[in-house]
């Protein structure tokens, strides 16, 4: 495997995964999912080491800090739903979006950087489980490729529902990060909204709803991170613990 910092040395080509959370301040579960991603990626877990060797993760864990501080549900201090202003964010009125968008455009214009994923984490007040929103493309093959990551995540996370995952182009969602960046980035980039229920997920039958806990949200975050191992087919690089030596009598 590559040395720990091989993909960070100057001039190295980088595959970047960009993750944002908490653009809507009332959607507190998104912070716990994001915390799970961060804690896993910086851990000594063998999978985390392989991911750090091969990918660069850029994470903005709180896009609406003033709204969170004030206890707002959807808006910033100035009353903006930031997730409708990605198309033309003002450095004065939407400074966090402006800063993140500038960084993403810089990376997009850098030939040494492949911005491969953008995932924006939210929480949903009426649906159960974790699920994703993706974009609609005319290109059928691109549309099919976009479904790969949520399908793999569904295999890794018992609370993630591929059947609730949908791909849309609603006019009302045009100013969201997923929709705007999906239109900006090239066809090797995938942009998703990751939603997680405020209250529960279903295991087994329709009547077996399990209430979410902070730990369960963080576990979903860990599973999101682990899914990149499958997506990039890096499983063979994970160091397996040595099998214990059988005791001789």
């Amino acid at each position: 495997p590559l040395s720990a910092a091989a993909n960070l040395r100057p001039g190295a080509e980088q595959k970047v995964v960009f993750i944002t959370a908490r653009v809507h301040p009332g959607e507190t579960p998104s912070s716990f999912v994001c915390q799970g991603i961060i804690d896993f990626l910086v851990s000594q877990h063998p999978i985390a080491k392989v991911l750090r060797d091969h990918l660069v993760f850029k994470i903005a864990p709180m896009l609406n800090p003033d709204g969170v501080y004030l206890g707002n549900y959807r808006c910033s201090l100035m009353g903006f739903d930031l997730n409708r202003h990605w198309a033309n964010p003002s450095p004065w009125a939407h400074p966090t979006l402006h800063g993140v968008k500038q960084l993403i455009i810089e990376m997009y214009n850098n030939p040494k950087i492949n911005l491969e994923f953008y995932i924006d984490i939210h929480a949903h007040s009426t649906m159960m489980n974790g699920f994703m929103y993706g974009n609609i493309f005319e290109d059928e093959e691109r549309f099919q490729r976009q479904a790969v990551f949520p399908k793999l995540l569904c295999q890794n996370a018992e609370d993630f529902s591929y059947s609730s995952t949908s791909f849309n182009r609603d006019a009302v969602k045009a100013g969201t990060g997923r929709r705007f960046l999906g239109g900006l980035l090239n066809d090797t980039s995938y942009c998703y909204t990751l939603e997680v229920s405020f209250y529960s997920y279903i295991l087994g039958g329709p009547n077996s709803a399990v209430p979410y806990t902070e730990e369960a949200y963080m576990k979903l975050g860990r599973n999101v991170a682990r899914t990149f191992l499958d997506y990039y087919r890096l499983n063979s690089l994970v160091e397996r613990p040595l099998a214990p030596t059988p005791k001789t009598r």
Side-chain angles (χ1 to χ4, degrees):
L2 299 170
S3 67
N7 60 351
L8 296 179
R9 68 179 187 273
E13 289 208 3
Q14 296 181 348
K15 289 179 177 162
V16 173
V17 175
F18 206 107
I19 296 169
T20 56
R22 210 72 187 274
V23 72
H24 290 142
E27 296 176 10
T28 48
S30 74
S31 281
F32 291 109
V33 175
C34 193
Q35 187 73 48
I37 293 173
I38 294 169
D39 287 349
F40 182 77
L41 289 174
V42 300
S43 74
Q44 292 305 303
H45 194 288
I47 291 176
K49 290 180 180 178
V50 170
L51 292 175
R52 292 196 300 266
D53 286 349
H54 288 83
L55 301 167
V56 175
F57 289 86
K58 300 211 178 259
I59 302 175
M62 192 173 283
L63 286 180
N64 196 338
D66 44 323
V68 170
Y69 176 77
L70 290 166
N72 291 354
Y73 184 66
R74 274 183 89 83
C75 295
S76 65
L77 169 63
M78 296 178 66
F80 290 108
D81 178 346
L82 295 180
N83 205 36
R84 297 294 181 270
H85 289 277
W86 279 93
N88 192 22
S90 152
W92 177 74
H94 325 108
T96 53
L97 291 201
H98 184 266
V100 167
K101 182 179 170 182
Q102 290 306 114
L103 177 58
I104 287 174
I105 289 172
E106 276 175 33
M107 290 192 295
Y108 177 63
N109 290 328
N110 184 335
K112 290 284 191 182
I113 293 178
N114 293 320
L115 182 52
E116 306 221 329
F117 281 89
Y118 171 75
I119 299 175
D120 189 28
I121 309 173
H122 288 250
H124 205 286
S125 56
T126 59
M127 290 180 69
M128 292 206 257
N129 297 68
F131 58 96
M132 280 177 147
Y133 293 126
N135 294 315
I136 287 181
F137 306 110
E138 302 302 332
D139 177 358
E140 179 66 21
E141 193 216 342
R142 184 182 184 190
F143 187 70
Q144 298 290 344
R145 290 200 312 266
Q146 183 187 218
V148 172
F149 188 86
K151 282 180 177 173
L152 291 171
L153 178 54
C154 189
Q155 292 170 13
N156 287 335
E158 61 185 4
D159 58 321
F160 183 85
S161 166
Y162 184 75
S163 59
S164 297
T165 291
S166 64
F167 304 94
N168 65 59
R169 52 163 63 139
D170 297 352
V172 72
K173 301 284 183 73
T176 64
R178 163 183 64 89
R179 282 286 303 282
F180 176 74
L181 294 167
L184 169 77
L185 303 174
N186 62 30
D187 65 2
T188 58
S189 304
Y190 300 103
C191 298
Y192 304 95
T193 302
L194 172 62
E195 296 271 2
V196 62
S197 173
F198 266 104
Y199 55 103
S200 64
Y201 56 98
I202 294 175
L203 292 180
N207 301 320
S208 54
V210 181
Y212 264 114
T213 60
E214 292 174 10
E215 173 52 36
Y217 288 129
M218 290 191 276
K219 183 178 179 183
L220 177 59
R222 293 195 293 272
N223 284 325
V224 168
R226 296 170 80 111
T227 300
F228 287 104
L229 188 84
D230 301 328
Y231 183 84
Y232 287 103
R233 299 186 175 133
L234 300 170
N235 306 64
S236 62
L237 301 176
V238 177
E239 289 179 18
R240 299 277 184 269
L242 293 172
T245 322
K247 288 193 173 73
T248 47
R249 288 190 177 173

